[in-house]
Amino acid sequence: MIRLFRPRAVASAHCDLPCGVYDPAQARIEAESVLAIVKKYQDNDDPAFRTRALIIKEQRAELVKHHLWVLWTDYFKAPHFEKYPQLHGLFNEATKLAGAGGAKGAVDTAVAEKLLVKIEEIAKIFWETKQA
């Protein structure tokens, strides 16, 4: 009777869903929106437009953080962090650049561009891990 409840095979997975659902492009697209909004904000003096731009920019920056956190916590695993010891630092820097002290709280194109650079560095590592 006990044998009936024993699993015939034990399976394990690298991630909680098939790995195909993860892609740093989601964070990049939102970060590109942040940069575009900052540029439009700086080119427009209308207070109503600027208010809407700030609200949307903050929402997009929050989405950047969300997409980065999903990659950081759900996709990347211990072997990745061992092979790429700079990865934790890259995620920390990128999420800070997207946060209140960065793109979410500022209207500075340089900050938004730095965020895109960090996301590209993360994406490069991501695609290297997908090749393995």
Side-chain angles (χ1 to χ4, degrees):
M1 188 70 147
I2 294 174
R3 208 167 117 184
L4 290 173
F5 297 108
R6 233 184 262 155
R8 291 183 181 194
V10 176
S12 64
H14 162 80
C15 54
D16 57 350
L17 288 170
C19 292
V21 303
Y22 299 105
D23 194 326
Q26 294 167 302
R28 181 188 46 77
I29 289 166
E30 298 299 350
E32 287 173 351
S33 293
V34 169
L35 177 59
I37 292 166
V38 168
K39 289 177 180 178
K40 288 179 180 279
Y41 175 91
Q42 291 174 347
D43 291 341
N44 195 309
D45 292 332
D46 176 44
F49 176 87
R50 292 182 119 201
T51 299
R52 286 193 328 272
L54 288 176
I55 291 167
I56 295 167
K57 176 190 64 74
E58 289 179 10
Q59 292 170 342
R60 300 294 122 195
E62 191 63 32
L63 286 170
V64 172
K65 289 178 9 183
H66 168 76
H67 291 303
L68 289 173
W69 284 333
V70 168
L71 284 173
W72 195 1
T73 60
D74 293 353
Y75 174 78
F76 287 105
K77 303 295 182 207
H80 298 131
F81 294 108
E82 290 168 13
K83 185 172 181 181
Y84 302 96
Q86 75 278 28
L87 199 51
H88 278 303
L90 283 172
F91 274 107
N92 185 53
E93 292 166 14
T95 54
K96 295 250 185 247
L97 280 167
K104 186 174 178 183
V107 286
D108 185 347
T109 56
V111 172
E113 289 167 349
K114 286 179 190 175
L115 174 58
L116 282 164
V117 168
K118 291 296 176 190
I119 292 170
E120 185 56 37
E121 290 177 47
I122 292 167
K124 183 177 184 286
I125 293 171
F126 173 85
W127 290 111
E128 286 177 13
T129 66
K130 296 289 277 184
Q131 301 298 322

